Structures are given as structure tokens and as C-alpha cells.
Amino acid sequence: RPVVRRNGDDVTIEFEVRAFCDVTVAIEDDRGRIVRHLASGVLGPNAPAPFEKDSLRQSIVWDGKDEQGAYVDEKDEIVIRVSLGLNPQFERSLFWSPKKRIGSYPPTIVATAEGMYVVEGLGVDHIRLFDREGDYVRTVYPFPRDKVEDVVGLDRRRYPQSDEELPVKYGFQQASLLQSGTSNLNAAAKYHGGWAATTMAVWTPEDGGPGRIALAYHYLGRLATDGTSGDLPHKGPRVAQEKMLARSGYVDQRRRVIGPSSAAFSPDGRYVYLTGYSYLQRHPGNRGTWHGVYRVDYAEGEEPEVFLGTMTENDFGSENDQFMVPTSVATDPEGRIYVSDFMNDRIQIFSPEGEYLQTLETDKPARVLVHQRNGEVYVFSWPARGISNEVYRHVNLGRDYWRNFENTFSRYTGFADGLERIDTYPLPSIRADLGGMVAFGTPMHVELDSWSERPRLWVVGEKGRVTAATVSYWGQRSIEQEAADNWAGTGIRIFELDGDEWKLIRDFSRDVAEKVVRVRPPDFARQRLFWNPGDERLYVAEDSGFGKSFRELVRIDPDTARIDTVPLPFDAEDMAFDINGLAYLRTDEVVVRYDSQTWREVPWDYGEHRRNIQFSSIGGGKRTDAISALATPGRRPVNWSQGGMWVSPIGKLAVSCTSRAQARERESGVRHRVVLEETEPYTPQLFPGRARWQEIHVWDRHGRLIHEDSVPGSTVLCGVGIDREGDLYILADSTRAYNGKRYFNEMTGTVLKFTPGEGRIVSRDRGVVPLSAENYPNRPPEARGGQTRTAWVEGAHWMFGGAGWFGFNTARAGGGCDCWRSRFTIDYFARSFVPEVGHYSVAVLDTAGNVIVRVGRYGNVDDGMPLVKEGGPPNTRSIGGDEVALFHAAYVGTHTDRRLFIHDAGNARIVSVKLDYETTETVALKDVPDQGGERIR
């Protein structure tokens, strides 16, 4: 047990441990609130101050002051806590709903006897099973932890930091294990992230064993319903078409890959039929269709065969062996194949061998479905996209035909009963945003539940999203459109036939709003997390599309999981809270301080009046005036992200600013400045090998500059921290090199600790003033990647590689620019919490760079047993250890010594992790006699 001695204000804490471990010493009040974060670190040869190195016996002195340097008068209310062995444990899922959408392409829904399978993707991919009532059952992908070893064909790698062999994620964002679509590719859809599937089919055997899942886009993806790949390599044959599309306005000519929009299994699960190959991939222009149906042997893995029609663009017609814009395919229990032949106004029916059987005439069939128990045929009509001018001319149909077109669907008796029409209904309400600069495949998706007591339809429409092309073309208008939270009504809806009416029985968006308030998904998988010590709530910032800013925050009570939203005075690029709960909002040029409860401005002593403050990267946004804003020398870089800021416990503000250009003058003085004098512009220091991008400046609590250009040579940053002693912590894009050899993943960066003004980064390749070969340091470089390229780090206390994710870190396959990012953080013990995105973990480091513990391991949302049952999925399973299951965890926040929060985009949730210890001892100061001594003020 610790021995505590009092001598006036000085309190000496002595203890001894049996072996080197991590130790945390906190000064708390009698309510358990930390008054002073005294020390935390790993004992041993690299023990951080104030611990003694290489000693099991420790003696630490508390000077009687609180976190902000004021003496604590009521010493008898103080408790000394000494804790050993940081022991994080999964507490609960926050801000999580399996019904919340993640992408704009309409999710594909497939009905089976087991339930309804739903696939959706946008950078990350999800496959989830729901029961017939619309309640969540389980996640099939990301693969469960106990099944991922049974997925054939995944790349695996042994990671040097842990010696663990782990599956390697694919794609430019490195956010998916699926290899079937654009989320697997380095260059495709690099801003939003791509999709694994444009369609899906599911087959389940009658014996109830694992079924087959077929994903289709570029390749056939093969999964089993039990979360494995069913003993088959996941990546099957290529099933996509390619087309060199002509330049259309702002879109360059390039080869596009077009996947199918409809798939169906044969009843025995052997074959997959694919159709709906339309290449309206960009708007305007680029219209065309392949007029046939592919058949793929699911298990054999051979290239698809043209089974019906012709897989050519111009060979269309109205004979029984021809199609004109086939849009969907379905099968019945006898193996017959139904194809919706859109521009021929018919459903064509074929035998399992491909022989023509019958035609069902119906107006503009966009989708055909077959009831799997009674054989009834359901035909849905809505405008198809991608119809070529040649087809329009052939049928003599003008484009204004669709202006008054009514979306309907019709029921017919089964094939054996003559395909007689039962009735025609207006199509149940589907919100489908058909505009936008980028449109993929079908504008809506409908699925028939053949196993419900009454006929049920699951319907969902495309959701328009602002893309890079939209921003380029429309500018401010698109930013305003994207900023509006207009996702209500865009979720899956379930309708049931009640007599002659289809009644809405479930609306996923309504369920999402009730559970997590905000229906809109985060853009670019960005959820920055901020803990407010003032009200002890977690605040979540999600970007307003390409504006790279946020105008409201999501506020979460971690104890109850209650959620609400908080509007902000202006749209900010970043924010921070100080230890008193003041909120700091920033643009590229200013930082404005507010009371986070009233949102009244708290002016800086050394600030200036500013008007129309806002950040939104290309205009628009919410604006305000500031009485006294803190001016910074920042400007907007090409990726618009500023790199982070942090407030130390004693009020020091560290701000990363992008200021690659020299200062520019304006009529009223100087446009950008750090120094106070109007006549002295900010000019950064230069030296051979100095790269320019982001710079870190430090102000005191009054707004007075105390450190200028604190770590010269740093480039793109994903987070900045400053501790009580004034030392800086940064997550830099420089990929770590060991003995001159780069860490294998060039998309990672490095966490570094510096004392302001005592360190720098010297680049061999990117210096504004070139570094000559004779001036190369006589040692291997510490970095090989990022905007610094090959570089040497001078004066750092320590470096920790394999950290975060940086979209600017590579030029492979057209990369080097991406809106996805990551963010590390520190706590008031100055422990660093570092996302290891590819390693499925978060590393916790002490102030000497020692790894205290790693939090998390590979898993999906059903993995891990929570400490609190409410808020998580219903059937979680233990994975051991800290029970924290992660897939793509890029953002973290912390409530010092209480909780760690992790945004895991791969599982679409925020994980709350309880921070506890293996053992803790406390000593109440009221039980320790004061040995005397005067307080020295």
C-alpha cells in the first residue's frame, strides 16, 4: 500500500511494486473527481518523469496544486489514488443503429426463409440480417472474429508491432476486406470510398445449413451466410463490363467499369444470373446498356457465360431471344428465369436450360420478383436510367415520356396459373433522389418477402449525395444542399398488403431518428470526438460534405446513451474544449472561444474583431461575427484540413496552421500574423531541407503568442496535443522508418513528441531550400513517406510509427488526395491514444513513448461482451481480453482516466471503453497527520 506523508502543501507518495508495470497516480476529491493528474507511465528503464528509472520503489511529490496551478485548500477532502495495470473494458456501443444508411447507392435487399439480408457500402461495407419485422439479427460482414480465419483468399500479414498475423484491408481507404467492387481498388472512388457490390443474391438450403451469398460488381464475391466464405475463395471471376466513356462537360474521358444491378440464384444454388448492366455512371450523358444475361457457376469460378440475349451494346431487338434494356432477373422454385425487358414492355420467361417459355406483357418493367411459396409474379415499373439514344429512336419514344409516368407495380398469378393479372397498385412511397452528378445503377430497390403471413415489400431509394464532381460543377449550392440534414425518409420501408391497400408497418429512418437522433450518416467516415469536462458529455463533429466543416454537434451522455444536437455559432473546421468546458472553434484564420453552455463568446485579451467568420471550403456555410478572435497565420490547403488543435490543463493553446505561402499584406495592415505588432508580418523560418505545409503555434490563455513555428518541417498532421509542461505531441504523415526501411504501410504516419523550438524535421526531397547531399545527416532516415518523403527527425523525445491513416501519403494508382482521415488525442496525464487503423487497435502511450496497452482487436459489432447491456446489439459474444471489437477505427476521444471513445466506421458505431485498473489503492489525506511546514506562495 502507498505510504503518504504531509508537510504543509507538499504531499509525498511512496509505494513499491513487485515488477515493472504501468502506474497511475491521481489526486482526487472525495467525490472521485480528479483534482490533479499527477503521473502515469510504465516503470522500468524508460520510465517517464516524475518516476525514477529502473526502480520498483517510487517516491512522488504533489505540490498541493490543482490542474490549473491553484493551491487546494481543503486538503482533508483529498484522496490519493495509486493504480497499477491499465485495464480497459468494452462498455457499450454509442450512436449505433444497424438501420442507419451509409451510402447513396440503394441498399440491395434479399429475402430468404431465414430473414432479410441487406448489403450497403461507401468505403466500408456492411452485410446485415434482419428478421421479417425489421429487427436486427446479426452482422455477416465484417466477418465475425471467430469466422474470419475461415474466409479463403484474404491477404494476411504479420504486424511487427505485435507479431500478430492479421487480415489486410484493401482499397485506397484500406477499409474493406471484400474484393468484389470498388472498395477493393486503390484508385476508384477515392473520395467517398467505393462499394463492394452493386447487387447481391442469397441462396439458403432447405436443411437450414449455411447458405451462399453472391456479391457482384467488378468481381463475383462469394460469402456464406455463417460469416465465412464457405470453403471457396472469396474473390470469384470477373463479372463487370468496361466502357470508354466520352468526355462530358467536366468529366474527362476514361474507362469505366459497369457492374450489374440485378442478380438471382438458381434454386439449387449452383448458378448466379446477372443483368442490368447500364452505364449511366455519370450525368449528363454516357447512356447505354448491355442487352443480355450472364450466368456464372458459383463454385467453379469460371468466367461468366452469355446465357440469354447478347452482352453487346447495339445488338438489341424484340425477338424472343433478344432484349432491349434488360433491368432485372429473378427465378422461381422450379428454376425458371424471369427477365424484365424494359423497353420491350414485357417479362420474358425461360427454362433452366435457357429455352424461351412465355412472355408476360406489362408496361415498362423495371424489376420482376417471384413469390417463392405461391409463385405469384410481381412487376414494378419506374423510369430506368441509362437508356441510349439509339434505343429511344428505335422505339420512337421521347425523353419527356417520363414526365407524367406513374410508378406502379402489378401482381400476377404464377406461371402454372396462366400469369393472370390480379391487380395493379401505385408503388408504395419511396424517396429516390434521382438528380446529382453521379448516379449508379438502379434508382430504387424493392424486395418481396415470400415468407411473411401477408405479402410484404421492402423498399428503398437512392439518396443523392454531393460528390467531388458536384462540388466542381455547382459550387456553393451543392455545399448548402449537403449541409442540410435531409436524410429523413431515406431508409428502408416495409409495406404490407392489407386488403387492397399497402400499409407502412416499419420505417427504418424513423427508427434511426428515435434511437440515435441524427439520420444522416457521416461523410468520409469522419466522426471527430471531443470530451467536454464542463458538462461531462461526448461531442461528435461530422463534416457537412465536401465543406470540411460542421455547423452542429451531436452530444452524447455516455452514462445513459442519450443523444441530442447542439447548433454552433458558425461552421467550424475544428474544435477543442479546455478543462473548464470552454469551447474553441476555428477556421483557417481565427480561433474563437465560447462558453459551451450558453455559446456566448469569451473574448481573447489579445484578439481582434472579425466579421462573417465561417469555414466551409468553397463558400456558403453558417457565419457569425466575433468580438475578439485569435488571429492565426493559416490558410486553406488543397485538402482543406487544418491538422488539429488542443488546450493544455493550464490553458496553453496549440494550433496547427497551414501556411505554405509567405505573409500577404492588406490595406489595414497584415492579413496573416502571429505576432501582435501590426507592422510585423509572420514569416516562417527556413533552413535546407525544410518542407512546408503545416506549422504549430502556441498561445497562452490570454491569447498571447508564446511559441512560434514550434516544430518546423512538419507537414500534414492528424492531431496536435500539448501537455501541462508545454511539450507538443503530433500525429504527422511521415511514415516511420526503422534503420532506414519504411514501415510496410505507407498510408500510416508517426506520433512524435517535441519541446517547442527544440526539434525539427529535415526532408531530403521536399525542402523549400534543397538539402545538398553533403549535408545529409550521418544516420539512416527516420521517415520514408508522407509529404516529407525521406526525412530525418531532430530533437524529438520519441517517435511511434504505424499510426493513423493519411490519404495524401501515396501517389499510387492516382492517389495522393483523399477526404478520409484519422485523429489521435492525448489526455490530462499526457497519455497518447493512437489509432492503429490497419492493426484494428488503439495504442496507449505514456509520456516517454512506452506502450502501456493496446485496446481492441479485429471483430464486428456482435463481438465483445459489454459491461452495460443497453445500447449494443442483442446477441454479443465474448472475444476475450478487453472485449473491444474494431474494424476501421480512425478517431478517438478520451475522458481522462474514465473512458476512451473510439469511432469505428467499419462497424458504424462509437465504442465506449471503460478505463479501469488491475489494482488500486487509495489513501485519504484526512487520515494522514500534517508534519508541518508553511505554504509558500
Side-chain angles (χ1 to χ4, degrees), residues 158-164 166-169 173-175 718 731 736 738 743-745 747-751 798-806 821-825 832-845 849-859 882 884-893 900-906:
R158 190 163 296 280
Y159 282 70
Q161 57 263 57
S162 64
D163 200 36
E164 290 183 83
L166 298 170
V168 177
K169 291 177 285 187
Q173 282 81 9
Q174 300 179 346
C718 276
L731 173 50
R736 184 76 166 94
Y738 299 89
Y743 180 72
F744 74 91
N745 186 351
M747 307 300 282
T748 61
T750 303
V751 177
W798 49 262
M799 294 171 277
F800 180 82
W805 191 92
F806 289 85
R821 298 178 72 82
S822 60
R823 181 65 65 90
F824 96 116
T825 194
S832 299
F833 294 79
V834 184
E836 298 177 299
V837 181
H839 191 263
Y840 311 97
S841 61
V842 174
V844 185
L845 316 178
N850 302 306
V851 177
I852 298 174
V853 71
R854 278 190 165 88
V855 181
R857 56 204 309 211
Y858 173 90
D882 57 27
V884 177
L886 302 174
F887 187 82
H888 188 83
Y891 293 88
V892 293
L900 167 66
F901 303 101
I902 307 170
H903 166 50
D904 180 7

Side-chain angles (χ1 to χ4, degrees), residues 60 255 293 347 379 406 530 538 578 590 656 721 731 782 857:
I60 299 175
R255 185 171 296 278
V293 177
I347 305 295
V379 180
E406 183 179 2
F530 307 97
L538 177 67
D578 69 16
V590 297
S656 169
L731 173 50
E782 286 82 25
R857 56 204 309 211

Side-chain angles (χ1 to χ4, degrees), residues 432-476:
D433 296 340
L434 303 183
M437 307 301 273
V438 177
F440 289 89
T442 179
M444 57 190 78
H445 192 87
V446 178
E447 179 63 333
L448 169 68
D449 183 358
S450 299
W451 289 268
S452 55
E453 185 175 340
R454 296 177 177 177
R456 283 186 175 179
L457 297 179
W458 288 48
V459 301
V460 66
E462 179 179 317
K463 175 67 183 76
R465 297 199 73 167
V466 171
T467 65
T470 317
V471 172
S472 173
Y473 195 78
W474 291 112
Q476 178 178 330

